[in-house]
Amino acid sequence: MDKTPSFSRLDPSSPRLHVMEVVGNGIVGGMERCVERLIEHLGRGDRFRFTVLCPFEGDFTDRVRAAGAQVMVVPMPEDPPWAALQMVTGLVRHGRVDLLHAHLPNAHQLAGVVGRITGVPVVSTIHGRQIIMPDLEVHRMVGSHLSVVCQHSYYHALGLGIDPDKLSCEPNGVDTQAFHPGPRPEQGLRERFGLPRDTLLVGLVGRLSPEKAPDVLVRAASLLHERLPDVHFMIAGEGPMRTQLVEAIERQGLQSHVHLLGRIDDVLPIYHDLDLQVSSSHSEAMPLALMEGMATGLCVVATRVGGVPEIVEHGRSGWLVAARDHEDIAGRIHQMLTQPDLRRRMGERARDSMVQRHPLSSRLEAVAQRLLQLARPAAAEPRRIGSAPRAVPGSADLRPRAGR
């Protein structure tokens, strides 16, 4: 594929809103997948066109190019270099960008400075469960709008004193057509590791990083192994904790029962192979992997952090446990694996809740309305959590009301 920038595609005469997605990393993770879905779905019509700034080439840049976006590689250290500021300022002016949309603090810094220079509005989506200091500093200095993805983050931001008129909540959604229940793969994980077809599999899908706490699942697996020695654990993902996890698995003597799958590009067959999904994170906002697994009909055991309680209905679609509590995680896994009827009912409820409460199409339409609103402030209305502006049909105000 030709990766040479084609500036002719930055058509200044286009009536579509020109959004520049400033992305602070380029792995294929949850944040990058959110950007990719945004471009795929909103870039198809006559309302939006996208340019993506990214710090390096990789699979992510290939994917957003395939989705129709113009891609530029720009250095994004924590302190934006002058050359990058000059380049992006010129690109914004030449391409007549209407809105800068940042993801991660380094991208927020670059977008914030360029937005102040050019007068272009800036919005930063906060994908974590808290507003951290670099994002807060940029917001206060340049007046950028902050979009969070769960109610926990929204109220945390209010507690920091962020002006509600500069804050909104656009929760994540899941594509329930792409992620759906299905049969167990004929040549799946059991065949890959030489396991009997009736082996029970517990899985974690996510980056191997400290906030995801995959080591907590390994400790839970060690406890469970004493009671259910035939259960196997699958951990799908890559990250800086891989070596640490390998050592932990070896210390517990679980090399034959805890399997590191590495990076998986197509996770749907993994979900279809699992009997139960676990999220052991101690910091989350609204994790896509958990939503995708639930959409395929998996019941879950997940830590009660960030926006996870907005996804998992305790006792109905799964179980919520305290962060870092490997004993409770092991106990809930044991409960679910030894009660197949309960596991099946919870899995069905998990699927129904994703279809009814978190559909991707309505979530992305709320984001679309927010982008249009921020780029055209004359049409602005008061920000409301969990919804697009009042003009969007079917939007819901999730703020507490008197008498509730």
Side-chain angles (χ1 to χ4, degrees):
M1 177 183 295
D2 183 9
K3 296 180 180 180
T4 303
S6 175
F7 292 101
S8 61
R9 292 180 60 189
L10 300 177
D11 179 9
S13 64
S14 173
R16 294 182 294 169
L17 191 78
H18 189 182
V19 179
M20 178 172 283
E21 298 289 331
V22 188
V23 184
N25 203 349
I27 62 172
V28 182
M31 177 272 290
E32 290 83 359
R33 284 162 57 214
C34 286
V35 176
E36 184 183 344
R37 293 185 319 176
L38 189 70
I39 293 169
E40 284 179 345
H41 290 265
L42 300 188
R44 294 172 182 167
D46 58 1
R47 294 184 297 171
F48 297 93
R49 57 193 179 107
F50 292 93
T51 297
V52 177
L53 300 190
C54 194
F56 52 83
E57 292 281 1
D59 290 343
F60 170 68
T61 53
D62 290 341
R63 290 187 181 197
V64 292
R65 280 192 182 95
Q70 169 75 44
V71 176
M72 295 292 294
V73 173
V74 177
M76 289 191 207
E78 291 183 0
D79 296 315
W82 179 245
L85 292 172
Q86 286 181 310
M87 176 183 173
V88 178
T89 297
L91 185 58
V92 167
R93 286 173 171 164
H94 171 74
R96 297 190 182 179
V97 171
D98 298 297
L99 184 67
L100 289 155
H101 186 191
H103 308 264
L104 299 186
N106 57 330
H108 193 187
Q109 290 173 349
L110 177 60
V113 175
V114 171
R116 176 56 66 92
I117 292 171
T118 60
V120 172
V122 177
V123 55
S124 181
T125 293
I126 308 299
H127 296 271
R129 71 186 180 101
Q130 292 184 329
I131 312 295
I132 62 175
M133 186 57 68
D135 283 310
L136 184 61
E137 290 175 343
V138 177
H139 162 75
R140 287 177 172 170
M141 290 185 69
V142 306
S144 54
H145 184 92
L146 299 182
S147 171
V148 298
V149 299
C150 66
Q151 294 183 59
H152 179 281
S153 303
Y154 183 87
Y155 291 115
H156 174 260
L158 291 179
L160 292 175
I162 291 174
D163 184 347
D165 284 342
K166 289 287 187 178
L167 177 68
S168 61
C169 180
E170 281 75 44
N172 289 335
V174 61
D175 187 341
T176 55
Q177 294 183 341
F179 291 92
H180 53 79
R184 180 180 294 176
E186 287 296 325
Q187 295 298 317
L189 296 174
R190 293 166 181 81
E191 289 70 27
R192 175 176 169 179
F193 293 101
L195 306 176
R197 287 289 289 175
D198 61 352
T199 300
L200 292 171
L201 299 184
V202 178
L204 181 152
V205 178
R207 181 167 166 76
L208 307 185
S209 54
E211 71 276 5
K212 301 293 184 181
D215 55 311
V216 173
L217 178 60
V218 173
R219 291 200 292 273
S222 179
L223 285 179
L224 194 72
H225 185 63
E226 300 174 2
R227 304 172 66 185
L228 297 175
D230 294 330
V231 173
H232 283 248
F233 294 80
M234 305 289 167
I235 301 178
E238 280 292 355
M241 287 189 67
R242 183 179 179 85
T243 300
Q244 179 181 338
L245 281 181
V246 170
E247 294 173 352
I249 291 167
E250 290 175 351
R251 282 197 304 271
Q252 299 291 343
L254 295 173
Q255 300 94 314
S256 61
H257 283 74
V258 179
H259 311 279
L260 300 183
L261 306 181
R263 171 180 160 181
I264 303 293
D265 290 327
D266 183 7
V267 294
L268 183 61
I270 301 295
Y271 294 130
H272 287 168
D273 239 340
L274 297 178
D275 296 290
L276 180 70
Q277 183 179 8
V278 174
S279 174
S280 53
S281 301
H282 61 75
S283 180
E284 287 285 5
M286 189 162 275
L288 290 181
L290 194 61
M291 300 174 76
E292 291 168 352
M294 293 175 69
T296 67
L298 281 174
C299 66
V300 299
V301 175
T303 47
R304 189 184 290 104
V305 295
V308 173
E310 299 169 40
I311 303 172
V312 180
E313 298 170 274
H314 183 67
R316 299 191 68 193
S317 59
W319 298 106
L320 294 170
V321 300
R324 300 182 178 88
D325 191 342
H326 66 282
E327 294 181 351
D328 199 5
I329 291 176
R332 289 300 186 183
I333 293 174
H334 182 276
Q335 177 185 11
M336 299 311 299
L337 295 184
T338 55
Q339 299 185 48
D341 289 341
L342 176 62
R343 189 169 74 241
R344 176 186 55 78
R345 291 196 302 272
M346 282 190 166
E348 291 173 351
R349 176 59 188 171
R351 165 70 183 178
D352 289 344
S353 69
M354 292 300 104
V355 172
Q356 296 168 14
R357 299 169 54 209
H358 303 284
L360 180 63
S361 57
S362 61
R363 297 301 197 197
L364 287 178
E365 181 56 28
V367 175
Q369 292 299 319
R370 187 69 64 194
L371 297 179
L372 290 166
Q373 181 190 48
L374 293 173
R376 295 163 183 164
E381 297 181 21
R383 309 290 187 250
R384 300 187 300 149
I385 180 173
S387 70
R390 277 191 289 269
V392 180
S395 62
D397 190 341
L398 301 182
R399 292 179 299 183
R401 297 174 183 170
R404 282 192 177 180

